[in-house]
Amino acid sequence: MESTRVDRWLWAVRLTKTRTDAAAACRGGHVRVNGKPAKAATNVTPGDEVRARVGAVTRVVEVVRVIQKRVGAPDAVTCYIDRTPKPPPEAFAPVAARDRGAGRPTKRDRRVIDKFRSGGL
């Protein structure tokens, strides 16, 4: 077996939860094989680069081994090399959060929030 459908491969290596999700991603234009938009029936072979937007993350993987049946997670990881770039570090600023349904802040709460926003804490 040297090639298989991209939707079936995405499902088999556990990049998507269902094969229907993989086919829908292909229909929606969220999957590219070697830089070209891929339909669900596009064949993938070892050495191909597959870009798939899964949720909010775009995964970039290189096909190492072609499989058609869904396998366990430890086996699935050996079928591709993950080349997804690391997300850029975001400037972490603590967010003042209040409990949902806590109502309006009291005068004391307001002072603490203002002090926090001005950099006093």
Side-chain angles (χ1 to χ4, degrees):
M1 164 182 26
E2 52 189 63
S3 69
T4 189
R5 294 170 55 110
V6 70
D7 64 334
R8 190 169 191 170
W9 187 81
L10 287 170
W11 167 75
V13 297
R14 296 177 173 263
L15 290 179
T16 59
K17 287 188 176 185
T18 64
R19 188 166 167 196
T20 305
D21 288 346
C26 291
R27 272 194 313 277
H30 303 299
V31 178
R32 292 180 166 266
V33 175
N34 295 326
K36 298 177 184 172
K39 293 183 178 180
T42 302
N43 284 329
V44 292
T45 58
D48 286 347
E49 179 190 73
V50 178
R51 288 179 177 265
R53 187 164 57 181
V54 180
V57 179
T58 300
R59 301 283 305 267
V60 181
V61 296
E62 180 183 335
V63 179
V64 173
R65 188 172 53 135
V66 176
I67 58 173
Q68 292 186 3
K69 300 274 184 174
R70 193 166 170 99
V71 294
D75 293 334
V77 174
T78 64
C79 296
Y80 61 87
I81 299 171
D82 195 357
R83 301 203 188 281
T84 305
K86 301 289 182 205
E90 297 177 11
F92 177 73
V95 178
R98 292 180 45 84
D99 292 332
R100 188 169 175 86
R104 293 178 59 177
T106 63
K107 192 172 190 177
R108 181 176 181 277
D109 292 340
R110 188 87 214 138
R111 288 183 184 137
V112 170
I113 291 169
D114 288 342
K115 190 174 180 181
F116 177 79
R117 285 186 179 161
S118 67
L121 282 180

